[in-house]
Amino acid sequence: MAPDASRMSDGMPIRDAVATRSVLAVSGSLLIRTGDTATELIAAHTMLPDGSIALAVDAMTPAGGQLVAARSRPGGLRLEVTSVVPVPVRCRVRARVTVTGTVRALDPATLDDCDAGTIDALLDLPPVALWAVEPVAVRLERHSTSDDVAVDAYRAARPDPLAAIEATYLHQLVRHGLDGLTLPARLASARGRLAPVAIDADGLTLRSETRQGHHDARLPFASRVTAEAELARELALLTPAITAPDRSRPNPG
């Protein structure tokens, strides 16, 4: 079994691999590109455990035509995903991921290696033809930098354990405010609008927005978080205003 990259050293290549898997895992849409043709797919993809991306696309649609034309051509398809901060702030784009891959019809034998969550995600896709895009190159753009992510590291990585619930808790922080939060010195002195912009297993990122611009600062958790109950506890330690999120109403978009 391949090692779990999220448990390896904390080097930048590993963090980039985890970040890339996280973006792909939670995105609701992506762009498929062949040559000069691009088509957006909405609610029509999911991640497979080995890092391949499953697409649900009718072969008789324009998007299906792209997949048919690119089928079995090494690196014949590009998938592009944009990750945005899920709460209202300036400069919401935080990452762009490009996966160049080879398209094949999804092999039913692949399901033998899928966990229950992946099977459920596949069943939630539209009831049309299933395709798999096997990555041959992965690129991550963020913070004005662009880096190649090693395919082996990408395949071995897993999404951040909080990726699926990050947006819920960011909205909760926005609704309840950040009263009582002990801020890093550069945020405390900025006198700007303060907003939470990211949560991952190791900490909370806050942004201070002023007329001159913005900057981010990170508040590390006391210990690495891998479950929702642990996240609620760590956030409560940072600010007593936070409780478990109210799931009786949808989050604002």
Side-chain angles (χ1 to χ4, degrees):
M1 178 180 294
D4 184 345
S6 65
R7 295 182 180 275
M8 296 180 190
S9 69
D10 289 332
M12 184 62 73
I14 302 306
R15 292 200 298 273
D16 284 352
V18 172
T20 300
R21 291 288 294 258
S22 299
V23 168
L24 290 166
V26 303
S27 173
S29 65
L30 52 74
L31 200 69
I32 61 171
R33 190 181 295 276
T34 51
D36 295 329
T37 303
T39 305
E40 185 179 22
L41 296 181
I42 299 174
H45 81 280
T46 192
M47 293 287 297
L48 300 178
D50 69 351
S52 298
I53 299 99
L55 306 176
V57 180
D58 187 337
M60 302 305 293
T61 63
Q66 287 181 256
L67 297 179
V68 170
R71 184 170 49 189
S72 300
R73 287 172 42 209
L77 185 79
R78 291 202 311 277
L79 303 179
E80 300 175 1
V81 180
T82 299
S83 171
V84 298
V85 178
V87 296
V89 290
R90 292 190 303 228
C91 302
R92 292 185 66 191
V93 174
R94 58 184 178 185
R96 289 186 172 90
V97 170
T98 302
V99 176
T100 303
T102 304
V103 183
R104 293 186 175 89
L106 182 66
D107 183 352
T110 302
L111 303 181
D112 294 339
D113 297 323
C114 293
D115 56 28
T118 303
I119 296 294
D120 288 344
L122 288 167
L123 291 174
D124 284 341
L125 294 177
V128 292
L130 289 178
W131 310 76
V133 179
E134 301 174 2
V136 298
V138 181
R139 192 156 188 84
L140 174 66
E141 300 176 50
R142 59 179 179 179
H143 310 311
S144 302
T145 66
S146 182
D147 298 291
D148 291 325
V149 178
V151 173
D152 286 347
Y154 164 84
R155 285 189 177 277
R158 294 295 179 268
D160 185 272
L162 304 183
I165 60 173
E166 178 198 25
T168 296
Y169 275 86
L170 288 175
H171 285 295
Q172 179 79 348
L173 283 163
V174 168
R175 285 199 299 270
H176 288 272
L178 300 171
D179 294 340
L181 191 65
T182 301
L183 300 177
R186 66 174 179 164
L187 288 187
S189 61
R191 300 182 183 278
R193 174 181 177 266
L194 195 63
V197 293
I199 298 174
D200 59 44
D202 296 303
L204 166 68
T205 300
L206 299 176
R207 174 170 298 174
S208 175
E209 295 181 334
T210 66
R211 291 183 179 180
Q212 292 72 37
H214 70 269
H215 57 266
D216 297 348
R218 195 167 164 76
L219 278 66
F221 294 143
S223 59
R224 183 175 174 79
V225 170
T226 60
E228 185 170 1
E230 297 170 358
L231 174 60
R233 182 195 65 229
E234 290 294 332
L235 290 176
L237 291 174
L238 292 175
T239 170
I242 287 301
T243 59
D246 178 5
R247 299 188 184 279
S248 63
R249 57 179 176 175
N251 288 326

